[in-house]
Amino acid sequence: TQLLEQSPQFLSIQEGENLTVYCNSSSVFSSLQWYRQEPGEGPVLLVTVVTGGEVKKLKRLTFQFGDARKDSSLHITAAQPGDTGLYLCAPGADKLIFGTGTRLQVFP
Amino acid sequence: DVKVTQSSRYLVKRTGEKVFLECVQDMDHENMFWYRQDPGLGLRLIYFSYDVKMKEKGDIPEGYSVSREKKERFSLILESASTNQTSMYLCASNSGATYEAFFGQGTRLTVV
């Protein structure tokens, strides 16, 4: 089973701060997905990155796929309490295996 | 609106009972999944089905079995529930076209 390590495991910050979370593997992926899970809900897809070096922006969220397509990062600018949740990465594949997750708490 | 529906939001069962968790999707997806989510442990794959009557073990299949008799329905079975199977269970589906996964609301199972 491919292993996706996410870091940090937990992150607790104040509103307005910037943060970056990471998703790393020793495997090469054809694409990588990022999901966010809010308390009491199932995960929801945020973005899929496909090309090595690709950068995608979703409002205050910036996603980057590593050049070698083994890793990815998610940067949040000026975090808000609504960003609170569990952030998960997963390779785009029929068999969906998620990374270990980063639990983010943003305090007002 | 696409939908994955799990039969129960909350369930309490006794140790040793046979438990069925049902999941239905309306998107004609080939792939369906059952995950277990425990505090601090993310989502762990129990079983995966890529077609009717086809299944593949995930990372933690012990103590579980699955059934997929129809494309839209994927059932998770706990043959003899134990207290260490108390958890949140999430069902999901995706297609091979985009791999975007859609999740149900989850079933919080408590085994007493």
Side-chain angles (χ1 to χ4, degrees):
Chain A
T1 300
Q2 65 224 0
L3 194 62
L4 278 169
E5 292 286 344
Q6 291 187 242
S7 60
Q9 190 176 0
F10 298 100
L11 196 53
S12 185
I13 61 172
Q14 292 293 129
E15 182 175 3
E17 290 185 41
N18 300 332
L19 66 117
T20 302
V21 299
Y22 301 92
C23 172
N24 295 297
S25 175
S26 57
S27 302
V28 176
F29 302 116
S30 57
S31 65
L32 200 116
Q33 301 176 332
W34 282 93
Y35 290 78
R36 178 170 64 210
Q37 183 181 23
E38 297 181 10
E41 304 290 330
V44 174
L45 180 70
L46 295 173
V47 79
T48 301
V49 285
V50 178
T51 307
E54 180 178 7
V55 176
K56 276 193 174 177
K57 293 198 175 196
L58 192 68
K59 297 183 181 177
R60 294 175 294 100
L61 279 59
T62 302
F63 303 85
Q64 183 158 10
F65 201 13
D67 290 339
R69 291 186 285 121
K70 292 183 179 181
D71 55 82
S72 182
S73 64
L74 158 59
H75 181 79
I76 302 179
T77 304
Q80 297 178 1
D83 296 326
T84 292
L86 177 67
Y87 289 81
L88 296 157
C89 63
D94 287 302
K95 187 175 179 180
L96 198 57
I97 304 282
F98 286 90
T100 49
T102 293
R103 193 166 294 279
L104 172 65
Q105 179 84 50
V106 182
F107 291 97
Chain B
D1 198 18
V2 297
K3 195 174 278 189
V4 177
T5 305
Q6 293 183 229
S7 53
S8 304
R9 195 76 194 262
Y10 300 94
L11 213 50
V12 179
K13 295 291 182 181
R14 294 196 179 278
T15 302
E17 276 193 78
K18 190 169 185 174
V19 181
F20 293 86
L21 301 183
E22 307 284 345
C23 176
V24 177
Q25 52 99 0
D26 64 1
M27 294 163 281
D28 200 36
H29 284 165
E30 308 87 54
N31 306 317
M32 295 188 75
F33 311 83
W34 275 106
Y35 297 92
R36 171 178 173 156
Q37 187 170 33
D38 298 293
L41 289 177
L43 266 66
R44 293 184 291 168
L45 182 64
I46 305 172
Y47 266 99
F48 158 57
S49 171
Y50 49 93
D51 202 350
V52 175
K53 298 190 188 293
M54 307 303 285
K55 63 186 178 186
E56 191 173 312
K57 291 180 180 178
D59 295 326
I60 51 164
E62 297 77 20
Y64 303 95
S65 62
V66 291
S67 172
R68 192 161 179 209
E69 297 296 318
K70 294 185 177 181
K71 191 175 185 179
E72 67 270 19
R73 187 179 296 269
F74 192 33
S75 303
L76 180 69
I77 303 153
L78 287 66
E79 294 291 341
S80 178
S82 63
T83 54
N84 63 13
Q85 292 178 309
T86 290
S87 189
M88 171 68 85
Y89 291 87
L90 285 159
C91 174
S93 70
N94 76 358
S95 78
T98 68
Y99 302 127
E100 177 180 0
F102 294 87
F103 283 81
Q105 292 285 79
T107 296
R108 186 165 293 282
L109 172 68
T110 302
V111 182
V112 298

